[in-house]
Structure formats: C-alpha cells, structure tokens
Amino acid sequence: MELPSSGIPRLEDTEVASRPKNPMSKEDRAKQFMPFAALKGLDEALAAREKIVVPKKELSEEMLQELDEAMHHVTKGSMISVVYYYKDEYIKITGIVAKLDEDAGYVQVVNTKIPFEDILEIQQADI
C-alpha cells in the first residue's frame, strides 16, 4: 500500500473498505436485527399474573328459563353469539353453529365446543 503525499492512507486503500469476499445472504443479515427475547416466556408469565380471575356465576331460575328458551331456537347452521365461562373468565364468541348435541350437552360454534353448563348468555347474531 502506497502512502499518498500527505502520509495518511486513503479509505479506499484500506482492507476495511474492501467488500467481503463471501457476502452474507439477506436472510442472515436480517437475522441480526430480529427482536431478541432474553427471558423467554416472561411476557406470558406477566400476562398470567395480570389476569383477573372471575368466579363462575350461578344462574337464577329466571335466567335458566331464558337460557333454555333461547337454546330451543338454536339450530345447526344458525349464526349465534354465546357468552361462556372458560378458564376463570367469560368469553364471547360469534359464529355459525356447527353441531348441537343435546345428549352430550354441548353446542359447537365453528371449532369451539361449549358445554351447556358453561353458557351464560346465548342469542341469535345480527348479520
């Protein structure tokens, strides 16, 4: 490497400025900038601790009667909204009834099987 008249090497003449002989693929370069989770599972553990446990409600006779009446209007293929108890919380799902099994005691909305005893509210969904 020749030094220019000023005595300072030019950037183009140094090895740092030269391109690598085996450049990284775009995927390998992108991996360098992917998010890194130093503590795997921390987000899930924090979310579980933040979850508010809701006790299951006991339905009154009047509410059970209303629920029974609403269940008699449910047929396979109908669009419904169901509020049901699952893992210490109430969930609302809206979808098409895929199966209604009175003997086994559940209604299946799309791919979710909901036992009758976990249903709080059921109604025909507005399309």
Side-chain angles (χ1 to χ4, degrees), residues 39-121:
L39 300 172
K40 290 191 184 242
L42 177 64
D43 292 335
E44 292 84 10
L46 289 175
R49 291 204 46 143
E50 291 174 358
K51 183 177 176 180
I52 298 171
V53 176
V54 179
K56 188 173 180 181
K57 296 178 182 178
E58 289 294 323
L59 300 180
S60 66
E61 285 297 320
E62 182 180 313
M63 291 174 74
L64 285 170
Q65 189 68 25
E66 288 176 14
L67 188 58
D68 184 54
E69 187 177 321
M71 287 296 293
H72 281 88
H73 292 94
V74 175
T75 58
K76 183 178 177 180
S78 61
M79 179 75 96
I80 61 170
S81 288
V82 181
V83 178
Y84 65 99
Y85 191 75
Y86 181 74
K87 293 187 178 180
D88 299 328
E89 65 182 341
Y90 280 95
I91 299 171
K92 181 176 183 178
I93 186 172
T94 300
I96 295 175
V97 176
K99 190 173 186 179
L100 180 65
D101 193 336
E102 292 180 23
D103 296 330
Y106 72 89
V107 61
Q108 182 173 333
V109 179
V110 188
N111 292 325
T112 306
K113 287 184 180 180
I114 306 167
F116 290 160
E117 63 267 9
D118 292 338
I119 296 174
L120 175 67
E121 181 183 311

Side-chain angles (χ1 to χ4, degrees), residues 1-21:
M1 173 170 69
E2 282 184 40
L3 291 177
S5 59
S6 66
I8 301 172
R10 295 184 322 195
L11 184 61
E12 303 86 43
D13 296 334
T14 63
E15 289 183 32
V16 175
S18 64
R19 294 188 141 243
K21 295 188 192 285

